[in-house]
Amino acid sequence: MRLIGIALAATAVALASPASAQVAARWITLGTQGGPIPLKSRSQPANVLLTGDGAFVVDAGDGVVEQLAKAEVSLQEVKAVLLSHLHFDHTAGLFGILSLRWQTNIASPLAVYGPPGTRTLVDGILAAMAPAVRAGYAYPGEFKAPFEPGVTVVEIRDGASFDLGSTHVTAAKNTHYTFTPGSADDRAFESLAFRFDGPGRSIAYTGDTGPSQAVERLARGADLLVTEMIDFDRTVAEIHRVSPNMPVAAMTGITIHLRDHHLTPKQVGELARVAGVKSVVVTHLSAPAITEARASEYLREIGAAYPGPAVIANDLETF
Amino acid sequence: MRLIGIALAATAVALASPASAQVAARWITLGTQGGPIPLKSRSQPANVLLTGDGAFVVDAGDGVVEQLAKAEVSLQEVKAVLLSHLHFDHTAGLFGILSLRWQTNIASPLAVYGPPGTRTLVDGILAAMAPAVRAGYAYPGEFKAPFEPGVTVVEIRDGASFDLGSTHVTAAKNTHYTFTPGSADDRAFESLAFRFDGPGRSIAYTGDTGPSQAVERLARGADLLVTEMIDFDRTVAEIHRVSPNMPVAAMTGITIHLRDHHLTPKQVGELARVAGVKSVVVTHLSAPAITEARASEYLREIGAAYPGPAVIANDLETF
């Protein structure tokens, strides 16, 4: 289902049909909003990487299970979930993945990769599931197997690398979190970008980030850069409009966060140019009301720094 | 957004515009699927009751936050969530409600009403949220208030009654759970139906249930009965098709569950007739591929027992 009809189909098809399409991984943008305020036009941040080895969910915003169904990817196919960071617009759908797996009798293993904090997140979800697991389908004589959700948590940090079948994954710490250097929180938490090197194709995913040399290095030469983007001025104006009475301290904090922890179109172009990627897909759009004209404006700003092909993604597009 | 175009609009509009529309509560079917296997055509079970006092979510399947946004109901307006029972197709979206409330700075109180097990469910979700709450927006000097999610849990059982503003709510134990009578699980768990008596309008909601005299009594004379429904034969056939290798014991158990814990169209009609309700909306559709012809068939079967107006709901319809 196309939620906003930005007319960039020709470019999107070109990206979606590389010469190696028969073997190369496909990337589906399940939700292209930059959260966390729910929108009717775009779903919360989520993606799925499809390879010959299965489906790998990359960030899992609210409704990811429904978006997977719309993309015709079954929960049975999902072998792993990768979380870039802990903000709930990227994790709120994990409860649905874990709980509906159990309720639909999916016993195959699921790996959840994510930054520090992911184990507590998953443990809390499993604890929340306990009463319903015990109640089961609730008919006399029901056989209740021990609760084995089949979930393995792997907490990862900057520099982590691991394989998802024939796809090699590398993680790098980006700049979405900028705690006071050396503070307890700075030591405890990380926000990550990922790179997927599979047969025939390399895809770099920024996660949420501000400008970051680590992300530039991670994305170097990738066939596809999947990047976040913010329309800073319009997003700040929208927050003022929606929350006119927000305390000044809170508004200041959000403004700092939006300014330092996200990429403007110009910064997206600079990242793509410096990294030398072959194509760009823009998702996690922190911007109100993205019309066709507005999307063209963003692409012009990106194009001023980066000469390669770039598209503004919609929900449920394949690249 | 209309996901399936069943052409019953005239009837739906008639239900949606009673003489007392200016003051009467409105019921929006956010997700009309009978879960738990995700579909592309219908969202997981969820509803919202809108009154002059706010928005009250009734069951909260995966993606409920997104569906609320599509219905133009903000999280800020949601004053309570009512859970009919613990199956995850009815609860998987609760993580999204609680976590995105926090991340979007909604500090107003939220009450979560549900059967025994609801407190453990909510406690697990709050525990899962802890690392992200601690990390916050992650900029130097961020002020982090103590974690006060503003959530009150009220566990309710058969016969519970309480007020949501000017709307009086009554709960009754239905037959969706049929544990061995007197067993520990039977004492521990309940599945509930709800009745909402507000100014100018009474709405009964079956939750998931098989035939139940308690639900018949609860719904007596209601202006609107919102009821679940199963197409038993086609649902069983679909499970055989999708899971041909399911162990016999599991298949037998699911068949018992589907047979005893849900209402066929005929049983929906009988419930509506015995209860003497003034109109019927059918949701939580456990049935594959609901075409217009199929919907008409269900309505004929309901109509054989119940002479009043009835509609098969789609996602995001208002009644």
Side-chain angles (χ1 to χ4, degrees), chain B residues 61-73:
Chain B
D62 177 73
V64 63
V65 168
E66 311 250 285
Q67 295 302 100
L68 283 167
K70 289 175 189 165
E72 301 189 338
V73 178

Side-chain angles (χ1 to χ4, degrees), chain A residues 279-319:
Chain A
S279 60
V280 171
V281 165
V282 183
T283 185
H284 195 285
L285 294 147
S286 302
I290 302 176
T291 59
E292 190 176 331
R294 194 67 54 77
S296 297
E297 176 188 324
Y298 298 144
L299 291 174
R300 272 195 305 277
E301 292 176 45
I302 293 168
Y306 170 71
V311 297
I312 307 293
N314 294 301
D315 290 4
L316 300 172
E317 288 184 338
T318 303
F319 301 98

Side-chain angles (χ1 to χ4, degrees), chain B residues 140-167:
Chain B
E142 180 178 8
F143 170 70
K144 292 180 181 169
F147 181 34
E148 290 171 0
V151 178
T152 302
V153 175
V154 185
E155 288 197 346
I156 53 178
R157 283 183 173 266
D158 186 36
S161 77
F162 52 95
D163 292 322
L164 299 172
S166 55
T167 300

Side-chain angles (χ1 to χ4, degrees), chain A residues 16-53:
Chain A
S17 304
S20 56
Q22 286 157 314
V23 295
R26 287 179 295 142
W27 182 279
I28 302 179
T29 49
L30 298 173
T32 57
Q33 180 199 353
I37 296 171
L39 297 181
K40 61 190 306 183
S41 54
R42 292 175 180 270
S43 192
Q44 297 256 314
N47 307 270
V48 63
L49 176 73
L50 298 172
T51 77
D53 301 302

Side-chain angles (χ1 to χ4, degrees), chain A residues 109-180:
Chain A
L110 180 81
V112 180
Y113 297 88
T118 300
R119 189 176 308 279
T120 302
L121 170 65
V122 171
D123 285 349
I125 289 173
L126 297 178
M129 287 170 58
V133 166
R134 182 181 153 199
Y137 277 104
Y139 56 87
E142 181 178 7
F143 171 71
K144 292 179 181 170
F147 182 35
E148 289 170 1
V151 177
T152 303
V153 175
V154 185
E155 288 197 345
I156 53 179
R157 283 183 172 267
D158 186 37
S161 76
F162 53 95
D163 292 323
L164 300 172
S166 55
T167 300
H168 187 68
V169 186
T170 317
K173 181 179 173 179
N174 62 30
T175 62
H176 191 56
Y177 290 171
T178 55
F179 298 103
T180 302

